Amino acid sequence: MLGFVVRRLISGIVLIFVISVIAYTLLYLGGGDIARRILGQAATAETVAAKSAELGLDRPLPVQYVDWITSAFQGDLGRSWFTGQLVADGVTSRLAVTLSIVIGATLISAIISVILGVLAARRGGWIDAVVQFISVIGFAIPSFLIALALVLVFAINLHLFKATGYIPITTSFSGWIASVTLPIAALSLGAIATVAQQVRGSVLDALSRDYVRTLRSRGLGMNRVVYKHVLRNAGGPALAVLAVQFIGLLGGAVIIEQIFALPGIGQLAVQATSSGDIPIVMGVVIATAIIVVIVNLLIDLAQAALNPKVRLS
Amino acid sequence: MFRWKVTAAVAITAALALTGCSADSNSGGDGGGSGGGTLTIGAITPPTTFDPAGSEWGNRSAFYQAVYDTLLLATPEGTIEPFLATEWSYNEDNTVLTLTLRDDVTFTDDSKLTASVVKLNLERFRDGTGPDAGYLAGTSFEAPDDTTLVITLDAPNPALLNYLTRDAGIVGSEASLTSPDLATNPVGSGPYILDTAATVTGTSYTYTKNPDYWNPDLQHYDTLTINVLQDATAGLNAVKAGEVNGLKLANNDNLAEVEGAGWTINANELDFQGLLLLDRAGTMNPALADVRVRQALNYAFDREALLTALQGGNGTVTGQVFPASSAAYDPALDDRYGYDPEKAKELLAEAGYADGLTISMPSSTVLGATTYTLIAQQLADIGVTVENTDPGNNFIADLLAPKFPAAFMALEQNPDWQLIQFMISPTAIFNPFKYEDPTVDALIAEIQNGDEATQEAKAKELNEYIVEQAWFAPFYRVQGSFATDANTTVEVLPTNAFPAIYDFKPKS
């Protein structure tokens, strides 16, 4: 068990290293004349050259990368070229925003999906049909359209929630709720569609297994069978889907953060990538890669805990 | 009776809570007169740094103006007024500028404004790597006493006073200039103080009123928040939900919707859009050396139609690069080249290009695909083929390299001398082929060394000559729009994209 965790962590570190090399190279190749872009159209050629030298952009790519990764290993991710902010500060403060909405969306979609999935699998009939219909709709409508509709109704017309901006939970709890509810709702809908289908399939599959018939023949009630045994078996695949969803939501958050002007990591990544702010993009890439590695590890452990049959050697 | 009061209080509280989301942004209206309330405005882009030496103006000016004062003040009327400097005068040949500074100004770290602090700021700006460091090229500074600052110039610079109303004139406290956090934690003498705890760098900047400000008449609010709303949809949603009091619109696409929400559009015309015919010597494309070809390109465009198609008619067609607020401006020049494809073809034939010619230009997704299609179409009508290349992120770098003989571009129309230094003089950034013309050089010299009347007269001559020589093919001046809600008024500046922070007032 411990060996498994260590192996996964080592492969995770290697993965992050490889990602950093690729990301740095791609950014550098696509960056163009970054000093010119920082300074804008009015700057003189002399100022642009001076800025380039100041940022070390006049050195060869491998030298710049080695310099970056050496500092990174010492915990120094540098400062943004475009805002002067420490990368570590920028990434952590924005990670809080993104994780608020992504974790919120994951939890809400998990709860609703399980309820809907189990209902659909057990009851069948019209309930199943309705759940299936909702799933298809949730699948088909992109989250940004849902977001725009939600803003129109709940922020602009009803003034119940905020249309733009983020209020930290430490500043005001009700403000935080007002600022994250719509983004979470917009993100959740697509996730619910996917996960509910998965739960429904897994529960149906488990229900048709021999052990259910055996349990039933011993006189156990259907509710007991479903909640004690079937869900446990169906939980594994659902968890895996949920993990994929979580990582997918990190990506989906990019658009949602733009629409709601939320200072999240996705918005930061978009701004930094389009402007060529290499220190910030690298910070975002590394932070995201670490999250993905950790989530995958946690999911493996959770699955092992849930189902002794897949216990890790 | 008592119970009735409680009920009313509960009802009012509930009503306030229900409208809570909009209450914070509407509170700007509570102030009435000076002081009180919150102003929340939306900007298009965050500042790159709060370091005065790296500062910028244009769409970023408000972030700096809130914390820093400038030496001089640009007004909505287009004049330059005293600010940190109360008086200024040039010597006879305009090479020494002497400024008298206020003696009652303290920075928010309690240090005092002195001429030596100003000198330090100006030197840092000149020697730094800020985008406008070139503004102070060829200057040196002296501080003979605490309230006197002397700027010595290598050669007269008629734009210097204007530069001192902008980023070059920003003054930060001496101690803050060596702080490692200068980029994110500015210390100035301005009307507000940046609340770093409530600020999310790149997204939302919150300022509180500076209690010891020397000029309280300019403090119309207790709190100021500037949100960065880069996404046009987010900006529009913020307007409709009443989450901002004012918003700089990135373009004019949503004017009707913004006005429909009961907002006021405050407009100015700062940028012109059109073709820069850069290769006037014909080193890259020999055809452009012929003035008849450049004039033909000017006759090719139906400017009214382009303005309608590309800007929804929000702007004014023009044929010159000097702004309407300039002394050089001549309304007659806007009609110098009417839409006349036949005349264009004739001129091309006279110049020996009856069979047409090809011009390569850079294109950019930022300026929209329609723009390039329409330009190519109108030029095709006179037999000119456009070869578009998209240099991606290197658009400006390639344009200035120079890698293209001509380009469609949006450029800011600055006050005269600044404009000349920006796009006309042989050393101008947007004269990348360093094209020189003796007539232009002579006029520039007269403007640089002349008194105000000479400057204005010669600028007019220069403008007319440039139009006649067809250095550019301007299409129109684009309307810049700043929207304000029903509780807020603002006056826009004729020379800057963003209004001055002092000009926002609660409607009383």
Side-chain angles (χ1 to χ4, degrees), chain B residues 68-81:
Chain B
Y68 293 118
D69 288 318
T70 45
L71 287 171
L72 302 173
L73 180 70
T75 67
E77 291 76 39
T79 57
I80 293 176
E81 301 291 334

Side-chain angles (χ1 to χ4, degrees), chain B residues 70-94:
Chain B
T70 45
L71 287 171
L72 302 173
L73 180 70
T75 67
E77 291 76 39
T79 57
I80 293 176
E81 301 291 334
F83 212 44
L84 287 181
T86 52
E87 285 169 45
W88 59 94
S89 62
Y90 271 111
N91 67 343
E92 197 141 296
D93 64 355
N94 292 335

Side-chain angles (χ1 to χ4, degrees), chain B residues 3-18:
Chain B
R3 180 165 294 177
W4 181 84
K5 270 189 180 168
V6 172
T7 314
V10 169
I12 291 167
T13 316
L16 284 177
L18 280 173

Side-chain angles (χ1 to χ4, degrees), chain B residues 62-360:
Chain B
F63 296 99
Y64 296 105
Q65 271 181 329
V67 279
Y68 293 118
D69 288 318
T70 45
L71 287 171
L72 302 173
L73 180 70
T75 67
E77 291 76 39
T79 57
I80 293 176
E81 301 291 334
F83 212 44
L84 287 181
T86 52
E87 285 169 45
W88 59 94
S89 62
Y90 271 111
N91 67 343
E92 197 141 296
D93 64 355
N94 292 335
T95 53
V96 178
L97 175 68
T98 307
L99 298 116
T100 309
L101 304 174
R102 300 188 69 91
D103 59 4
D104 59 349
V105 178
T106 49
F107 294 101
T108 52
D109 62 3
D110 291 333
S111 62
K112 264 184 80 70
L113 175 91
T114 61
S116 64
V117 178
V118 175
K119 175 175 183 275
L120 182 66
N121 273 274
L122 292 169
E123 284 169 347
R124 283 183 82 249
F125 190 90
R126 179 194 62 195
D127 302 333
T129 53
D132 296 325
Y135 283 176
L136 297 183
T139 53
S140 56
F141 314 98
E142 274 168 274
D145 61 59
D146 273 1
T147 57
T148 310
L149 182 86
V150 180
I151 304 180
T152 309
L153 299 111
D154 291 351
N157 182 349
L160 182 63
L161 292 178
N162 187 52
Y163 293 153
L164 297 181
T165 69
R166 306 166 46 102
D167 42 0
I170 280 179
V171 186
S173 94
E174 182 164 3
S176 73
L177 299 180
T178 49
S179 154
D181 287 332
L182 179 58
T184 51
N185 190 8
V187 180
S189 60
Y192 300 93
I193 302 168
L194 182 70
D195 180 351
T196 49
T199 292
V200 183
T201 300
T203 301
S204 179
Y205 296 76
T206 297
Y207 302 81
T208 53
K209 192 174 180 174
N210 175 2
D212 304 318
Y213 192 49
W214 59 275
N215 196 354
D217 290 351
L218 296 181
Q219 294 173 299
H220 305 297
Y221 298 92
D222 284 339
T223 326
L224 164 71
T225 300
I226 311 179
N227 291 325
V228 180
L229 294 165
Q230 278 173 322
D231 185 78
T233 313
L236 194 60
N237 286 339
V239 164
K240 289 196 204 159
E243 289 172 2
V244 285
N245 303 111
L247 175 74
K248 169 71 186 182
L249 300 178
N251 54 50
N252 293 316
D253 293 350
N254 301 314
L255 286 187
E257 265 187 279
V258 172
E259 284 180 307
W263 285 51
T264 307
I265 301 294
N266 306 275
N268 63 0
E269 288 180 354
L270 207 65
D271 292 350
F272 83 89
Q273 292 189 356
L275 293 188
L276 315 179
L277 308 178
L278 302 169
D279 187 16
R280 293 149 204 142
T283 52
M284 194 175 280
N285 189 329
L288 285 179
D290 195 315
V291 67
R292 288 169 297 190
V293 172
R294 301 200 298 267
Q295 289 178 336
L297 295 175
N298 265 282
Y299 281 116
F301 295 105
D302 185 349
R303 292 174 167 80
E304 287 287 354
L306 286 170
L307 179 65
T308 309
L310 299 175
Q311 299 296 331
N314 296 297
T316 313
V317 295
T318 188
Q320 54 197 322
V321 295
F322 284 86
S325 56
S326 149
Y329 179 78
D330 178 357
L333 293 176
D334 284 342
D335 307 323
R336 169 64 182 82
Y337 302 104
Y339 176 48
D340 194 345
E342 287 311 312
K343 175 101 179 157
K345 279 189 226 170
E346 273 171 40
L347 283 165
L348 282 179
E350 276 177 41
Y353 296 95
D355 300 333
L357 73 126
T358 302
I359 303 175
S360 69

Side-chain angles (χ1 to χ4, degrees), chain B residues 310 363-376 388 390 408:
Chain B
L310 299 175
S363 63
S364 166
T365 45
V366 179
L367 294 165
T370 327
T371 314
Y372 296 98
T373 313
L374 290 177
I375 291 172
N388 276 323
D390 188 346
F408 174 78

